[in-house]
Amino acid sequence: MVRGMSELTPEDMLRLQVLLAGELHAVRLDEDGPALCALTPRGEARIALHPVGRREAYLTQVRELLGGHALGSPGGYPVHLRRWTRIGQAAPKNLAALLLLGEPEAAMAVAYSPALTDELARRVWWALPVLEVAQVMLHRPAVQQGEMGKVLSAWMLEHLPFQADPIEAMHCVRALLAAGRLDEAQRE
C-alpha cells in the first residue's frame, strides 16, 4: 500500500481503485464537491469523495494515489515534472499519463507540448477548458486541422465579446485567424 493511503475512506478507496482499474483518458478533481471526475471511453464518470479530517489533506491523498497509478510516483505530481512540463519538455510518451494526475498544471503541460495530437487536445479540453489552453492548442497544426480546431475556434469566437482585456482579445483574434477554421462571416 502506498504511504498515507490508509487515510482515504474505505468506500472512496474501493471506488477509486475500481475506476483506476479501467481505461481512463483524463481525470480532474472537483475540490468544491469534492469529487473525482474521469473521462473514459464510455463517457464521464464521477466519484463523490467523503473526506475525513481536513479536505485539503484528503485531496492530497487522492492526488498521491493518482500519481502512483499514472506515473509510478507515490508522491503525486513530481516536482521535477512541474519545472519541465510547462515549457514543453514533457516526453511525448508521458503526455497521456499526465492527464491522469488530476492536476491543472499537468493538463497545461500537455497543451503546451509540441507533440500534442487532436485526440490529446480533446482530453486536455475536457480536463481544463480555459482560454489559455484553447489559445495554446490552436497554435498546433494537428489541432488546427483536426476536430478540436473547430471546437476550440467556436468556443473562442463565442467568448470573444466577453473578453475585457484588449491585449488578451488580440491574442484570441490572432489564434482564431491563425487556425484558419472561421468562415467569411465569422472572420468579419
Side-chain angles (χ1 to χ4, degrees):
M1 180 176 283
V2 177
R3 175 193 61 76
M5 287 298 112
S6 62
E7 295 180 30
L8 293 176
T9 65
E11 178 185 359
D12 286 353
M13 179 60 99
L14 176 62
R15 288 180 178 177
L16 291 170
Q17 290 294 344
V18 168
L19 181 71
L20 294 176
E23 184 181 351
L24 298 177
H25 290 178
V27 172
R28 67 177 178 235
L29 284 174
D30 173 5
E31 294 185 15
D32 295 329
L36 183 135
C37 303
L39 181 63
T40 72
R42 292 181 285 159
E44 293 184 27
R46 182 177 177 89
I47 296 175
L49 299 173
H50 307 91
V52 290
R54 288 185 14 247
R55 181 181 289 197
E56 182 179 295
Y58 196 82
L59 291 175
T60 297
Q61 295 297 316
V62 172
R63 285 183 177 99
E64 288 181 4
L65 177 66
L66 293 172
H69 172 74
L71 300 175
S73 170
Y77 188 38
V79 173
H80 71 279
L81 285 180
R82 290 180 199 262
R83 281 187 232 129
W84 288 101
T85 54
R86 189 67 177 259
I87 58 172
Q89 297 299 318
K93 66 181 176 135
N94 292 336
L95 294 178
L98 289 175
L99 293 174
L100 303 180
L101 297 174
E103 294 278 354
E105 188 69 23
M108 187 66 75
V110 177
Y112 272 90
S113 173
L116 184 68
T117 64
D118 193 53
E119 174 58 23
L120 282 174
R122 182 184 70 81
R123 296 174 187 189
V124 170
W125 187 243
W126 177 88
L128 192 61
V130 297
L131 179 62
E132 182 181 0
V133 167
Q135 287 176 332
V136 167
M137 292 195 308
L138 268 179
H139 287 291
R140 302 287 180 223
V143 175
Q144 289 174 352
Q145 298 161 8
E147 287 300 310
M148 284 308 296
K150 293 180 208 173
V151 171
L152 297 173
S153 294
W155 186 88
M156 286 179 66
L157 188 62
E158 181 181 329
H159 288 82
L160 186 60
F162 305 105
Q163 186 54 256
D165 180 4
I167 301 295
E168 202 56 51
M170 287 185 346
H171 289 303
C172 286
V173 169
R174 183 179 60 181
L176 282 167
L177 293 175
R181 298 307 294 252
L182 303 178
D183 61 30
E184 188 61 39
Q186 290 171 322
R187 278 194 297 275
E188 283 301 317

